[in-house]
């Protein structure tokens, strides 16, 4: 009897819990250690062979788990997820106790009414933080205070209207906030851990972008550790910082370790279900139809060919995603670092990106994990080296006529 492949089954509860724990880690931009050191590393230490090593960095909380430290003779493949989350930040404190906030990469309107956690640095102990829970993001106070244009949808909420409501009352409310130690720059995160959705094998919540990439890399490492071992490929499981502000963390990792191959793992869009964009003729990527493989920009078509071959051999569903100037992911890390590496970007179509209700399909995530594993197995089986990629650039001048 043929066994059903993982991407066609529901994700097991134990695996879903690992995914939820990674995505729930409070890791705003610049403070990613909660995810990298607090969740991912302990998970990986449960199965890591003793010969694997962990690389850490001075300037950021990124982390790389190395399957063959010092083996520069092997084909090195870096698989990157980014641990940083978009966040709100405290801008100023009003006399009435309102904490005015910066919305960063969120649309102001998607934040209204949602519960958040503010992480406040302890003024008495710089470098240590306290979590302030129970606040909500507000802007208008009530519909009764909104302009007619705002009520009927002709205009929207501006980012300068957003504030954190802590339900304070009484006299000297600004002083009450200041006594808590809240200061400009303190990060604020949405509070909604993922849960399974109504649709079969779906899930939703905050910060799929991009805890999912980190989860994929760590689950890939789990598969590799459980396997027979690699003799020709050195894997670098990378968990990067600063992606949301320019891919700076992954650029450092690539510059330091100089991999031959980079595989970025990040969320993509479900364009098929995206409202109001049909006239833009986006590639119809769809949630539940497999992982995405990026073509265009700086992606290596030779590397993509290995992905396509491996996926077809295993029957793993994938969708081609088109990029122009920039992949928008950590696949750009090598070229930004001035490192010669064959790169591509793997992802999963999600809905409602950069909201509290990002939505995805577990089958797409599992397909991505197993597609990367299948591709690594193919590179190992065919003894692919860095020179292989140097000599396998497609030659369009040799393309025969299509009849």
């Amino acid at each position: 009897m043929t066994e059903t492949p993982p991407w066609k089954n529901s994700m097991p509860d134990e695996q879903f819990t690992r995914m939820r724990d990674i995505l729930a880690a409070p890791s705003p931009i610049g403070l990613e250690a909660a995810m990298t050191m607090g969740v991912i590393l302990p998970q990986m230490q449960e199965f890591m062979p003793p010969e694997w090593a962990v690389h850490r960095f001075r300037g950021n909380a990124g982390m790389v788990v190395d399957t063959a430290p010092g083996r520069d003779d092997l084909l090195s493949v870096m698989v990157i997820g980014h641990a940083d989350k978009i966040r709100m930040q405290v801008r100023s404190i009003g006399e009435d106790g309102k904490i005015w906030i910066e919305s960063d990469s969120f649309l102001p309107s998607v934040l209204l009414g949602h519960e958040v956690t503010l992480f406040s640095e302890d003024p008495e102990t710089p470098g240590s933080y306290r979590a302030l829970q129970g606040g909500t993001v507000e802007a208008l106070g009530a519909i009764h205070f909104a302009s007619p244009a705002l009520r009927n949808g002709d205009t929207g909420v501006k980012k300068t209207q957003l504030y954190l409501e802590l339900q304070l009352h009484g006299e000297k409310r600004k002083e009450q906030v200041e006594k808590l130690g809240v200061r400009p720059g303190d990060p604020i995160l949405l509070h909604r851990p993922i849960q399974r959705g109504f649709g079969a094998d779906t899930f939703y919540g905050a910060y799929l972008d991009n805890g999912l990439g980190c989860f994929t890399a760590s689950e890939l490492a789990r598969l590799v550790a459980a396997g027979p071992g690699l003799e020709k490929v050195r894997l670098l499981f990378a968990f990067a910082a600063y992606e949301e502000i320019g891919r700076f963390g992954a650029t450092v990792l690539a510059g330091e370790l100089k991999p031959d191959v980079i595989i970025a793992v990040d969320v993509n869009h479900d364009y098929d279900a995206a409202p109001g964009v049909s006239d833009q003729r986006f590639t119809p990527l769809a949630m539940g139809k497999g992982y995405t493989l990026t073509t265009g920009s700086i992606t290596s078509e030779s590397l993509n060919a290995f992905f396509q071959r491996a996926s077809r051999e295993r029957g793993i569903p994938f969708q081609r995603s088109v990029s122009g100037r920039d992949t928008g992911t950590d696949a750009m890390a090598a070229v930004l670092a001035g490192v010669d590496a064959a790169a591509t970007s793997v992802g999963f179509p999600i809905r409602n990106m950069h909201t509290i209700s990002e939505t995805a399909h577990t089958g797409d995530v599992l397909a991505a994990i197993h597609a990367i594993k299948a591709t690594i197995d193919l590179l190992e089986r065919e003894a692919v080296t860095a020179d292989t990629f140097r000599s396998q650039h497609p030659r369009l001048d040799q393309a025969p006529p299509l009849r």
Side-chain angles (χ1 to χ4, degrees):
M1 183 175 179
T2 305
E3 185 177 348
T4 305
W7 53 90
K8 291 186 178 181
N9 291 325
S10 295
M11 182 180 285
D13 288 340
E14 183 179 359
Q15 191 174 31
F16 190 88
T17 297
R18 291 197 297 269
M19 180 169 66
R20 185 189 61 215
D21 290 347
I22 289 175
L23 270 62
S27 56
I29 298 163
L31 293 164
E32 298 88 356
M35 184 183 292
T36 57
M37 306 300 175
V39 180
I40 295 172
L41 185 57
Q43 283 190 8
M44 296 185 72
Q45 286 173 329
E46 295 175 359
F47 60 82
M48 279 173 53
E51 63 270 19
W52 289 16
V54 178
H55 301 277
R56 299 179 183 179
F57 303 88
R58 293 183 291 273
N60 66 80
M63 175 182 74
V64 176
V65 176
D66 188 343
T67 64
R71 291 295 307 275
D72 295 338
D73 55 310
L74 303 180
L75 178 75
S76 56
V77 179
M78 179 176 280
V79 182
I80 312 175
H82 72 82
D84 57 306
K85 298 177 174 181
I86 59 173
R87 78 300 197 220
M88 294 150 277
Q89 290 176 291
V90 174
R91 296 172 63 226
S92 63
I93 302 168
E95 292 296 331
D96 57 358
K98 288 185 176 64
I99 301 174
W100 297 98
I101 64 175
E102 165 63 47
S103 57
D104 195 20
S105 295
F106 291 106
L107 286 172
S109 59
V110 307
L111 296 170
L112 298 185
H114 290 306
E115 184 179 347
V116 296
T117 301
L118 184 151
F119 294 90
S120 174
E121 186 177 25
D122 187 345
E124 303 300 322
T125 314
S128 63
Y129 287 77
R130 297 83 46 81
L132 193 161
Q133 297 178 318
T136 59
V137 177
E138 308 295 343
L140 305 172
I143 188 174
H144 311 80
F145 309 139
S147 66
L150 190 58
R151 289 193 190 197
N152 63 30
D154 287 343
T155 188
V157 174
K158 298 177 181 178
K159 61 188 297 184
T160 53
Q161 296 176 277
L162 297 175
Y163 62 90
L164 179 62
E165 172 66 75
L166 290 182
Q167 307 91 38
L168 297 176
H169 54 88
E171 302 298 322
K172 299 180 180 179
R173 280 173 280 174
K174 180 177 182 180
E175 189 175 315
Q176 291 182 50
V177 175
E178 291 175 335
K179 283 184 177 179
L180 294 171
V182 175
R183 297 188 294 176
D186 284 346
I188 303 168
L189 293 176
L190 293 169
H191 180 70
R192 183 182 285 177
I194 63 167
Q195 57 184 303
R196 294 188 188 269
F198 178 78
D201 299 325
T202 61
F203 61 102
Y204 68 96
Y207 299 117
L208 276 59
D209 182 11
N210 183 38
L212 281 185
C214 292
F215 170 73
T216 297
S218 64
E219 290 297 296
L220 172 65
R222 189 179 295 269
L223 288 177
V224 171
L230 299 169
E231 297 180 355
K232 302 177 180 66
V233 176
R234 173 187 180 184
L235 289 175
L236 303 166
F237 302 105
F239 308 93
Y242 306 146
E243 191 273 349
E244 294 287 358
I245 56 172
R247 285 74 61 92
F248 300 125
T251 299
V252 171
L253 306 190
E256 288 285 310
L257 295 170
K258 296 177 171 54
D260 300 311
V261 172
I262 284 183
I263 301 168
V265 189
D266 208 334
V267 294
N268 207 326
H269 290 287
D270 180 344
Y271 289 111
D272 185 61
V277 298
S278 59
D279 61 333
Q280 297 187 44
R281 307 292 188 263
F282 287 122
T283 305
L285 306 177
M287 193 176 80
K289 291 190 175 181
Y291 77 93
T292 63
L293 181 65
T294 298
T295 184
S297 185
I298 54 80
T299 60
S300 164
E301 291 305 318
S302 298
L303 178 57
N304 280 351
F306 282 110
F307 264 94
Q308 292 177 79
R309 287 174 53 201
S311 296
R312 285 168 179 158
E313 284 178 7
R314 305 280 180 90
I316 304 173
F318 67 92
Q319 308 170 70
R320 279 169 64 92
S321 178
V322 180
S323 289
R325 296 169 61 93
D326 191 321
T327 65
T329 69
D330 281 325
M332 304 294 292
V335 294
L336 294 175
V339 172
D340 180 21
T344 196
S345 191
V346 167
F348 355 79
I350 74 167
R351 299 175 186 170
N352 313 322
M353 192 183 295
H354 287 197
T355 74
I356 200 169
S357 54
E358 293 181 331
T359 303
H361 194 287
T362 57
D364 299 334
V365 178
L366 293 168
I369 295 168
H370 287 273
I372 301 171
K373 177 61 165 60
T375 301
I376 291 165
D377 290 344
L378 181 58
L379 297 175
E380 172 84 5
R381 187 170 75 239
E382 297 191 355
V384 172
T385 67
D387 283 335
T388 305
F389 286 102
R390 292 187 179 100
S391 62
Q392 283 193 355
H393 300 294
R395 290 277 304 274
L396 299 187
D397 58 315
Q398 298 176 349
L402 180 62
R403 301 186 185 282

